[in-house]
Amino acid sequence: MSEKKYSPIACELEKDKRYAWCTCSHSENQPFCDGAHRAHNKPPSLGFSVDQDKTAYLCTCKRTNNPPYCDGSHKN
Ligand code: FES
């Protein structure tokens, strides 16, 4: 697959809102979980929140060592 497909997605995150980052890559709503992991018998999403409003680049390749954030692993 192309690097574009694996590129992180810039997300406007709100302070203290709960987010569920898809860990299984089957979600149609990347980078967030849409429940598709259940049908694929994969582990559930990773819940997270942020302590201030910010734009964050969330990983879509699922190989980051700093989930849910992109660490550049998609380029390797
Ligand atoms: S759909 Fe991927 S973790 Fe839920």
Side-chain angles (χ1 to χ4, degrees):
M1 287 182 242
S2 71
E3 181 179 310
K4 177 101 175 114
K5 172 150 184 153
Y6 288 133
S7 295
I9 297 175
C11 297
E12 304 293 329
L13 302 178
E14 295 174 36
K15 178 181 186 287
D16 294 335
K17 183 174 176 180
R18 292 292 300 166
Y19 295 97
W21 177 70
C22 173
T23 60
C24 77
S25 76
H26 292 292
S27 174
E28 298 287 334
N29 186 36
Q30 293 294 331
F32 301 110
C33 173
D34 70 355
H37 59 269
R38 292 188 204 100
H40 293 273
N41 291 319
K42 298 289 186 182
S45 59
L46 173 73
F48 74 102
S49 60
V50 293
D51 58 9
Q52 60 183 15
D53 292 354
K54 65 177 172 182
T55 301
Y57 289 84
L58 300 187
C59 172
T60 63
C61 78
K62 314 306 178 187
R63 293 186 299 184
T64 180
N65 290 307
N66 185 32
Y69 304 103
C70 173
D71 71 353
S73 292
H74 62 280
K75 295 177 181 170
N76 299 333

